[in-house]
Amino acid sequence: MLDTKKVGSVMIVGGGVTGMQAALDLADSGYYVYLVEKSGAIGGAMAQLDKTFPTNDCSM
Amino acid sequence: MTLSEVTAVTGIAGDFDVTVKESPRYVDVDKCIACGACTDKCPKKVDSEYEAGTGKRKAIYVKYAQAVPLKYQIDPDSCIRLKKPGACGFCEKVCDADAINFDDTEKIHQINVGAVVLAPGFEAYDPTDAKVWGYGVNPNVITAMQLERYLSASGPTEGHLVRPSDGKPASKVAFLQCIGSRDENLCGNGYCSSVCCMYAIKEAVIAKDHVPGLQTTIFYMDMRTHGKDFDLYLERAKEESGVRFVRCRVNGVETDGAGGDLRLSYVNEDGRQIEEFYDVVVLSVGLQTPKHVLELAKNADIKLTADKFAATSDFSPVQTSREGIFTCGAIAGPKDIPQSVVEGSAAAAAVADLLAPARFEFTAEPSFPTEKDVSKEEPRIGVFVCHCGSNIAGVVDVEAVEEYASTLPDVVYVERNLFSCSQDTQDMIAKRIQEQNLNRIVIAACTPRTHEPLFRETLKAAGLNEYLVEMANIRNHNSWVHGATPDMATVKAKDLVRMAAAKVTYGDSLKPIGVSITQKGLVIGGGVAGLTSALNLAEQGFEVHLVERTETLGGNAMNLKHTWSGEHVVTQVTKLIERVLAHDKVIVHKEFSVTHVSGFVGNFISTITGKDGTTKVIEHGAGIVATGGDEYTPKEYNYDSITKVVTSVQFDKLFELKEKHVKQSRKFVFIQCVGSREGDSMYCSKVCCTHSVQSAIALKKENSERSVYILYRDMRTYAQREALYKEARQLGVIFINYELHGKPKVTENGSVIDVEVWDHVLHRPLKIAADMVILATAIRPKEDAAELGKLYKVPVDGHGFFQEAHAKLRPVDFSTDGMFVAGLAHYPKPIEESVAQALAASARAATLLSKKSISLDAIKATVDEDYCDGCALCVDVCPYHAITLVDKVGADGADGKIIVVNKAQCKGCGLCQGTCPKRGVYVAGFTMQQISAQIQAALAV
Amino acid sequence: MSFEPKIVAFCCNWCSYAAADLAGTARMQYPHNVRIIRVMCSGMVHPEFVMDALAQGADGVMVLG
């Protein structure tokens, strides 16, 4: 692996809460990130929820 | 990149070529201002995916009000124009921005990247085809996602829970669990979806909050509330909210009469056939991998499990079968939000490990125009009043607010915006700042807690100091809470704008505080979590100090045999230890513990003390707490006095060594929840059900003649572990349910151990003459966790586990910047979750360690040298120990004292400001003058 | 006209101000008489502010944190 080329960018497939977290952490630590989302907006399933357990925090 | 899908991945780890297909949006995102005129005119209505079919959307739409990007799109499957050229086209006619483009086409992009992370998520099981639950037949049978939308204030009924059939308020709601989960007959999904028990409880509790007197019943098989604080939530739902729980599988749902009522029939715990009637039946649908994700997995050429989730190893839970391609979230098995977020960070850590040499290859620091010096200028305030769609404008008379704002002193420009936070409005505000030469900005919109950072960026982009903006919260604190009195809400909005203008008038340009970072990590604890964190940080290129209290690395894992998926733990952990020891960037300190800590984010100084009393001082920029947990030593079930009553870990050893008694024994009884889920330990230890089931399988496989009983309260073989539970049942392991009030009794009776328990199937007491009793003991927090917590100023929860910053969104961060948590120190969990959390902690730490310096918020205590007389009252009240008293020679030459503030430690709380009798210290951005001005403005009318 | 008190509330950014935000998110309705001043901690509220507010005509002052 030592001699192989390493490209400093990453593609993240899926713009839900998981993909967004991965994207933020990578962008924050020095990588160029492509976030690819199938639908018209990021947010994923969590944006559909009203509240979250176990704290009843607003999901949005 | 939205509306985009990956269609091919070629190349190797470090150098992939990815083909992305971008579907046409038919709306130019650069032109669309999201005014919504197109949607108003669009004649075509279809079911909204976002509302899970409970509401409608148009053919041209935004996914939801807060969507990012907030840009409209046309659904080609329902758009009249796109289906029939020449027809309709209303949206194009009304679009002032000229953003509609019916000729938009699909685009193919080729993108060169070093790694790919798959986080495509899940879909909810569709119960339509199963028929037995009446879904799709009776409108009052809904899915849990639909209930979320009904309960949501932004949903189709604005949070009112009504029967979909006739709009009548609901009075009795039933939740049916395991719909599309743990059921191979109807849906083929044998696994447990892990999240449905908790979401059903949450929905039942919230629904009861919405509708006073509402009766809610949850029909379940096993209550799987295995996460942190979940059992407490369950108990509160039972005791405080009065949610009813019935253990049974409901056979079917039938429509009763023409009124839309629903009839459920089930067999209760006493064996009686019961019929009950409900207004609404909620199906707690499971999670499954959607078709397009299976397609994606094929395109990315990664392996899947039998349950159609991405195959991963328990020791590298985000690594797929193809090197350089990682997964996180529900694609690798059903999981809840915190675990998904953890995996998101963990995938980032794994990518950073792979691509460490290429860090900073393509990134550039954002550049901003030179800041204008406004200190000599008279205030020129610009006020921007946000409609927030109809959120504000639907209640508050925004035109009146606009008109009023223009009459305020120093206000030279006022404007209204549909959404002040949208990108185009941001650009527009920046333009106005320059055009109108504004030097103070008031944004009358929502809460600064979420949106102030955005507007600060806007100011920066316009060459204005970012602290010269003040928000008037006319949504959360006004239009949303005074909907019934719009006139008074308008009056209040004017007041809030006046207050904000008064405060910003006295605003100063502030400079963020730069803090240099020691680019080294400290990991406390040498178990699986600590080892994983340390190794990952080292692989990312950072020097790491690993502190372990004992003389050996490996921690609790060294006592375990196999992970749930069958990987041999000790072999894997030994490999991990070898890699850590061999790594030149990891410095291991065995038999050392942390004894003193000073410093702050980026600049911690930890003193560690060895068993022999030697001390070392370690400077580090970030720290990871991975101190693990302990096995509970049982006091119950005569563990003390009967030698053949052993704990799970002890049993594993005896079994492995083929100890004679174990070898010869014919009857084994496992007792679950020993020390968990009762009294002060109201939490689930998460691993014990799976552990006992694995042991039981091993016993049965070794000798099928043996009788093996597992006495449990709820079998919590969550997610794909359910396959083990099934295997155990098939092998003839007998599962007997007991309740907390009827715990088994264990007594010695000659050569056997009598175990008495109530048989839930036969409905009579049962006595088992066991040869051996195995207690599934709890995981306890380390007794001295709180002491370590005090050193780093990080809290522990009521049970003694470390408390993360946010249960959902910051699951590995502490509220103290620069400190992170992983593994059992946070909560009981199996190895793959510890590993994921450890990787996540490393990723989070790396966001700091990868930088030479960070800038901190400028809202900090500032000393006014003219007034501070060195009385030092503030020194003691400062909770962050940021203030020190130093000598000072006064203007008259006399010796005196004065305070100095360490801005990196200061959190800007202002306790000093509230304490100071001389106005000698103030918090920048919240000065005495600014707050006084606000008070005056609040009471001015 | 009925008595309409004027109340000044000092709310901590991290708890009570956030709670007031959430009250909005949850659309909880409450009387409009309160004017919230955001502070970074209730400890920041100098006793002078309370006296100031009362002197300038506030009928009540709340310090929430």
Side-chain angles (χ1 to χ4, degrees):
Chain A
M1 288 296 294
L2 279 175
D3 300 328
T4 53
K5 183 178 161 197
K6 296 276 163 62
V7 179
S9 59
V10 186
M11 179 170 295
I12 296 176
V13 187
V17 63
T18 314
M20 289 192 286
Q21 182 67 46
L24 286 171
D25 284 341
L26 282 164
D28 268 345
S29 52
Y31 298 94
Y32 193 87
V33 177
Y34 300 91
L35 184 59
V36 176
E37 162 64 34
K38 185 174 176 290
S39 79
I42 59 174
M46 189 171 171
Q48 282 180 280
L49 305 181
D50 174 39
K51 303 274 189 331
T52 59
F53 58 77
T55 49
N56 290 357
D57 279 1
C58 170
S59 189
M60 188 54 81
Chain B
M1 306 173 75
T2 53
L3 297 169
S4 300
E5 288 179 87
V6 168
T7 53
V9 183
T10 59
I12 56 162
D15 190 9
F16 287 111
D17 277 310
V18 187
T19 313
V20 176
K21 184 185 86 180
E22 184 185 358
S23 299
R25 183 182 273 268
Y26 304 105
V27 174
D28 185 333
V29 290
D30 295 326
K31 290 183 183 164
C32 173
I33 54 164
C35 65
C38 50
T39 291
D40 281 348
K41 277 281 174 291
C42 178
K44 181 76 178 179
K45 266 189 183 176
V46 290
D47 280 346
S48 159
E49 297 86 358
Y50 176 73
E51 299 290 357
T54 60
K56 298 280 182 193
R57 64 161 170 84
K58 297 287 185 70
I60 184 163
Y61 68 108
V62 275
K63 211 169 138 190
Y64 52 100
Q66 299 90 335
V68 177
L70 191 64
K71 301 291 172 186
Y72 281 72
Q73 65 185 87
I74 297 177
D75 165 15
D77 294 332
S78 49
C79 172
I80 298 167
R81 168 63 172 261
L82 288 170
K83 296 190 114 171
K84 192 176 167 199
C88 191
F90 284 134
C91 52
E92 191 179 26
K93 291 183 196 111
V94 298
C95 182
D96 292 334
D98 197 20
I100 310 289
N101 174 15
F102 291 119
D103 302 322
D104 199 1
T105 52
E106 182 178 295
K107 294 176 195 71
I108 302 292
H109 306 275
Q110 288 291 342
I111 300 171
N112 181 221
V113 292
V116 178
V117 176
L118 305 179
F122 62 90
E123 68 178 2
Y125 168 72
D126 180 355
T128 312
D129 292 337
K131 293 198 172 66
V132 290
W133 299 296
Y135 184 76
V137 179
N138 189 317
N140 296 336
V141 180
I142 61 175
T143 67
M145 190 54 109
Q146 291 175 319
L147 181 60
E148 289 283 347
R149 297 313 308 153
Y150 283 120
L151 292 177
S152 172
S154 65
T157 57
E158 291 170 348
H160 299 291
L161 183 54
V162 296
R163 301 205 319 185
S165 65
D166 52 11
K168 203 184 98 186
S171 62
K172 274 183 92 181
V173 179
F175 292 80
L176 308 189
Q177 297 307 105
C178 299
I179 305 294
S181 309
R182 302 180 68 187
D183 179 355
E184 289 180 26
N185 298 332
L186 278 170
C187 66
N189 296 339
Y191 56 86
C192 156
S193 291
S194 298
V195 299
C196 329
C197 283
M198 272 307 282
Y199 77 55
I201 302 172
K202 174 203 72 179
E203 289 182 354
V205 168
I206 304 278
K208 284 180 83 86
D209 280 352
H210 282 233
V211 186
L214 181 76
Q215 293 178 44
T216 54
T217 307
I218 298 179
F219 295 93
Y220 70 101
M221 297 200 289
D222 292 285
M223 197 32 71
R224 292 188 171 168
T225 49
H226 44 263
K228 188 167 184 167
D229 288 340
F230 290 5
D231 269 319
L232 280 172
Y233 195 84
L234 168 64
E235 290 307 308
R236 280 205 307 273
K238 279 184 199 165
E239 305 301 328
E240 291 169 27
S241 305
V243 177
R244 178 174 164 240
F245 289 83
V246 178
R247 189 192 295 270
C248 74
R249 184 128 202 171
V250 172
N251 306 321
V253 179
E254 287 166 345
T255 301
D256 187 73
D261 287 351
L262 295 156
R263 183 170 64 227
L264 300 190
S265 56
Y266 65 94
V267 179
N268 77 358
E269 287 174 71
D270 300 326
R272 287 212 176 87
Q273 181 77 32
I274 308 275
E275 268 194 357
E276 284 176 12
F277 297 88
Y278 290 89
D279 294 317
V280 175
V281 169
V282 181
L283 304 179
S284 293
V285 288
L287 276 44
Q288 63 188 21
T289 306
K291 263 210 184 90
H292 72 87
V293 175
L294 297 176
E295 194 76 2
L296 172 69
K298 212 171 103 197
N299 293 338
D301 193 23
I302 60 162
K303 289 203 174 79
L304 301 177
T305 66
D307 291 324
K308 292 185 188 156
F309 294 104
T312 56
S313 152
D314 292 329
F315 287 88
S316 47
V318 294
Q319 169 69 58
T320 67
S321 57
R322 184 169 170 192
E323 200 186 348
I325 300 188
F326 303 92
T327 59
C328 48
I331 183 181
K335 52 182 65 82
D336 59 9
I337 295 168
Q339 190 58 25
S340 297
V341 172
V342 162
E343 287 191 1
S345 289
V351 169
D353 177 340
L354 175 72
L355 302 180
R359 197 193 293 271
F360 298 124
E361 188 185 358
F362 296 116
T363 53
E365 286 294 305
S367 62
F368 293 102
T370 323
E371 199 177 292
K372 191 171 80 162
D373 179 14
V374 300
S375 59
K376 305 280 185 300
E377 294 177 6
E378 286 299 306
R380 287 180 60 80
I381 303 176
V383 179
F384 296 85
V385 181
C386 180
H387 291 204
C388 195
S390 63
N391 280 302
I392 294 168
V395 176
V396 172
D397 181 349
V398 282
E399 283 168 31
V401 175
E402 178 189 33
E403 201 184 303
Y404 174 76
S406 65
T407 67
L408 290 168
D410 298 323
V411 171
V412 295
Y413 185 78
V414 189
E415 186 175 304
R416 283 179 287 117
N417 317 119
L418 188 59
F419 288 100
S420 295
C421 56
S422 68
Q423 187 55 51
D424 52 300
T425 311
Q426 301 279 301
D427 297 342
M428 199 275 305
I429 293 174
K431 210 170 99 194
R432 293 283 185 264
I433 291 172
Q434 286 165 335
E435 271 174 17
Q436 304 287 331
N437 198 24
L438 305 174
N439 59 20
R440 304 282 192 285
I441 303 299
V442 170
I443 309 280
C446 53
T447 170
R449 286 179 47 82
T450 55
H451 281 68
E452 199 175 57
L454 185 76
F455 292 109
R456 284 189 183 170
E457 291 296 308
T458 313
L459 265 68
K460 267 160 89 176
L464 197 57
N465 183 276
E466 58 182 307
Y467 289 94
L468 296 172
V469 62
E470 188 63 31
M471 292 186 73
N473 192 341
I474 62 168
R475 189 186 73 180
N476 297 48
H477 292 187
N478 192 23
S479 66
W480 275 356
V481 290
H482 308 311
T485 51
D487 289 349
M488 296 319 289
T490 302
V491 171
K492 184 170 172 181
K494 291 177 183 173
D495 286 3
L496 292 174
V497 171
R498 187 173 64 237
M499 288 161 68
K503 185 181 176 198
V504 82
T505 302
Y506 296 104
D508 281 324
S509 295
L510 304 175
K511 288 269 168 283
I513 318 293
V515 179
S516 66
I517 289 185
T518 311
Q519 292 176 293
K520 294 174 187 171
L522 172 75
V523 177
I524 308 164
V528 165
L531 290 164
T532 306
S533 283
L535 183 64
N536 179 267
L537 281 176
E539 290 283 340
Q540 288 201 48
F542 306 110
E543 186 179 305
V544 190
H545 291 267
L546 177 63
V547 181
E548 165 58 41
R549 181 152 58 183
T550 69
E551 55 185 20
T552 50
L553 297 174
N556 285 308
M558 297 312 259
N559 296 323
L560 302 177
K561 285 166 65 185
H562 293 100
T563 65
W564 75 269
S565 65
E567 291 178 72
H568 192 253
V569 175
V570 175
T571 314
Q572 294 288 342
V573 177
T574 309
K575 270 191 216 162
L576 183 61
I577 294 171
E578 281 165 8
R579 286 185 68 196
V580 167
L581 291 176
H583 207 292
D584 60 356
K585 285 203 179 285
V586 189
I587 302 139
V588 179
H589 306 275
K590 281 188 210 169
E591 297 191 289
F592 272 88
S593 14
V594 179
T595 47
H596 185 262
V597 180
S598 65
F600 44 87
V601 57
N603 300 274
F604 291 103
I605 302 166
S606 297
T607 307
I608 59 171
T609 306
K611 270 210 175 119
D612 56 0
T614 53
T615 59
K616 299 181 193 173
V617 174
I618 299 170
E619 292 184 22
H620 56 106
I624 294 172
V625 175
T627 46
D630 279 322
E631 189 191 4
Y632 167 64
T633 309
K635 291 175 188 67
E636 47 272 78
Y637 302 120
N638 288 318
Y639 171 76
D640 288 341
S641 56
I642 310 175
T643 49
K644 285 172 248 167
V645 178
V646 297
T647 68
S648 311
V649 170
Q650 290 168 336
F651 173 77
D652 281 352
K653 287 233 167 66
L654 298 172
F655 184 77
E656 198 165 27
L657 295 169
K658 303 200 183 303
E659 190 264 341
K660 209 171 76 194
H661 181 71
V662 176
K663 204 78 192 144
Q664 290 168 351
S665 292
R666 310 286 291 175
K667 261 186 192 168
F668 296 84
V669 177
F670 290 82
I671 302 178
Q672 299 304 111
C673 295
V674 180
S676 301
R677 298 185 64 198
E678 59 174 313
D680 290 337
S681 303
M682 191 54 79
Y683 63 86
C684 168
S685 292
K686 212 172 182 181
V687 299
C688 349
C689 281
T690 308
H691 192 149
S692 295
V693 167
Q694 280 181 298
S695 299
I697 290 173
L699 282 169
K700 273 291 201 184
K701 277 189 173 166
E702 193 179 72
N703 181 354
S704 62
E705 299 292 301
R706 283 169 172 158
S707 303
V708 181
Y709 299 83
I710 295 184
L711 314 186
Y712 70 98
R713 287 172 59 194
D714 291 284
M715 275 319 287
R716 291 183 171 177
T717 44
Y718 61 96
Q720 297 178 82
R721 289 165 182 76
E722 185 69 10
L724 292 171
Y725 184 25
K726 189 183 165 199
E727 186 186 353
R729 291 197 311 265
Q730 283 171 342
L731 287 170
V733 176
I734 298 159
F735 289 85
I736 297 173
N737 173 239
Y738 77 89
E739 297 295 333
L740 192 54
H741 54 79
K743 282 164 89 171
K745 287 191 181 61
V746 177
T747 46
E748 199 161 21
N749 183 7
S751 63
V752 297
I753 310 160
D754 282 340
V755 180
E756 289 171 83
V757 67
W758 182 263
D759 187 312
H760 71 297
V761 178
L762 301 175
H763 303 290
R764 58 189 179 83
L766 178 75
K767 190 188 269 184
I768 309 163
D771 298 312
M772 206 160 187
V773 173
I774 299 118
L775 305 181
T777 47
I779 293 172
R780 288 278 185 263
K782 285 282 179 195
E783 269 182 6
D784 53 1
E787 275 171 49
L788 182 69
K790 270 190 198 131
L791 291 177
Y792 286 101
K793 304 188 186 90
V794 298
V796 294
D797 67 13
H799 294 128
F801 294 105
F802 283 99
Q803 183 70 55
E804 66 275 31
H806 188 280
K808 291 275 141 182
L809 299 176
R810 295 178 65 198
V812 300
D813 298 22
F814 277 119
S815 47
T816 300
D817 292 339
M819 292 300 297
F820 307 92
V821 63
L824 300 186
H826 161 262
Y827 186 73
K829 54 177 69 72
I831 281 179
E832 76 277 17
E833 291 175 23
S834 278
V835 171
Q837 210 180 10
L839 289 174
S842 293
R844 302 289 303 144
T847 60
L848 282 170
L849 300 182
S850 60
K851 300 180 183 83
K852 289 197 175 68
S853 69
I854 48 165
S855 58
L856 300 177
D857 198 346
I859 309 270
K860 302 287 179 194
T862 311
V863 186
D864 189 327
E865 299 193 10
D866 293 339
Y867 290 107
C868 174
D869 66 355
C871 75
L873 278 175
C874 54
V875 174
D876 290 338
V877 298
C878 176
Y880 306 101
H881 311 292
I883 306 178
T884 41
L885 191 66
V886 296
D887 292 327
K888 169 199 170 187
V889 181
D892 52 358
D895 287 348
K897 299 270 186 190
I898 193 166
I899 56 160
V900 285
V901 176
N902 180 332
K903 304 245 164 154
Q905 274 173 291
C906 173
K907 296 265 182 192
C909 72
L911 255 66
C912 49
Q913 174 174 331
T915 310
C916 183
K918 322 265 167 49
R919 295 194 172 218
V921 60
Y922 60 89
V923 175
F926 289 85
T927 64
M928 297 289 280
Q929 194 181 23
Q930 284 180 299
I931 297 178
S932 295
Q934 265 184 301
I935 296 170
Q936 205 174 2
L939 300 163
V941 177
Chain C
M1 209 176 108
S2 64
F3 173 55
E4 287 290 353
K6 284 188 243 173
I7 297 163
V8 172
F10 294 97
C11 287
C12 163
N13 181 59
W14 310 106
C15 55
S16 47
Y17 193 91
D21 281 349
L22 275 177
T25 311
R27 307 297 194 278
M28 293 164 81
Q29 302 293 305
Y30 58 83
H32 54 78
N33 311 56
V34 61
R35 298 291 177 268
I36 292 175
I37 293 177
R38 183 169 72 118
V39 288
M40 295 312 277
C41 171
S42 52
M44 183 185 267
V45 180
H46 200 284
E48 262 180 43
F49 292 151
V50 180
M51 302 311 288
D52 264 8
L54 293 172
Q56 288 176 33
D59 298 294
V61 176
M62 299 197 287
V63 181
L64 305 163

